[in-house]
């Protein structure tokens, strides 16, 4: 009887997942092609590019690490880094996590966080991009 109860309890715990206080997460590491965990909602891609002026010019990063830099009193503020060519940078970043009990729950499902981001040109990238466009334009003339 106890053994059956223990197996059921472990199964329920594994199904429900663990919860973590979002503000206590120091860092998260996310990978292209991997999915988040999901309990109340379907898993999503850990990394999702949602635009930017250079979004379609580069291969998206394979790994991104985001560090918790504190709070603005409402939300956790994140700094995300990836191995990007010096012509590109992250623009807008938003770490999205599944609230454990409800969408705005300060506790999140462990492993449920993903990153939505934009990729922008740096000043070097803008210069190189404009130079190459100008060169093509001059050839046409």
């Amino acid at each position: 009887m106890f053994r059956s109860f223990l197996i059921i309890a472990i199964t329920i715990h594994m199904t429900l997942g663990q919860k973590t206080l979002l503000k206590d997460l120091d860092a998260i590491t996310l990978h292209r092609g991997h999915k988040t965990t999901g309990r109340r909602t379907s898993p999503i891609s850990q990394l999702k590019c949602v635009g930017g002026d250079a979004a379609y010019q580069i291969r998206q990063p394979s790994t991104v690490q985001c560090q918790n830099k504190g709070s603005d009193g409402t939300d956790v503020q994140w700094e995300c880094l990836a191995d990007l060519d010096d012509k590109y940078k992250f623009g807008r970043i938003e770490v999205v996590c599944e609230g454990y009990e409800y969408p705005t729950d300060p506790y999140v499902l462990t492993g449920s966080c993903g990153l939505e981001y934009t990729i922008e040109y740096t000043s070097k990238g803008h210069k190189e991009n404009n130079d190459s466009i100008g060169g093509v334009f001059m050839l046409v003339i």
Side-chain angles (χ1 to χ4, degrees), residues 2-138:
F2 177 73
R3 186 177 182 160
S4 296
F5 175 76
L6 184 59
I7 291 171
I8 291 170
I10 291 171
T11 302
I12 289 171
H13 178 72
M14 289 174 64
T15 302
L16 295 178
Q18 294 182 336
K19 64 182 181 179
T20 304
L21 191 57
L22 181 60
K23 70 177 189 165
D24 288 346
L25 283 175
D26 292 326
I28 54 175
T29 302
L30 307 161
H31 304 279
R32 182 180 64 226
H34 291 206
K35 296 279 188 180
T36 62
T37 57
R39 179 174 158 261
R40 294 181 311 97
T41 61
S42 297
I44 60 171
S45 295
Q46 287 185 0
L47 295 173
K48 181 180 178 184
C49 182
V50 294
D53 60 8
Y56 303 105
Q57 304 304 314
I58 68 166
R59 181 172 171 88
Q60 300 303 313
S62 59
T63 303
V64 177
Q65 185 171 59
C66 297
Q67 287 190 297
N68 178 337
K69 294 297 189 177
S71 173
D72 65 359
T74 304
D75 293 318
V76 173
Q77 301 299 297
W78 297 95
E79 177 181 58
C80 298
L81 302 173
D83 188 18
L84 297 173
D85 186 282
D86 64 355
K87 296 184 289 188
Y88 309 103
K89 65 181 179 180
F90 284 121
R92 184 185 63 79
I93 59 168
E94 183 178 6
V95 172
V96 292
C97 306
E98 180 180 321
Y100 194 78
E101 293 290 335
Y102 50 91
T104 58
D105 192 342
Y107 285 90
V108 297
L109 178 65
T110 302
S112 71
C113 295
L115 177 67
E116 293 182 354
Y117 61 91
T118 61
I119 294 285
E120 310 292 341
Y121 286 111
T122 62
S123 55
K124 178 180 180 181
H126 273 296
K127 182 179 181 336
E128 287 185 20
N129 191 42
N130 288 338
D131 288 349
S132 65
I133 290 171
V136 170
F137 183 70
M138 293 303 284

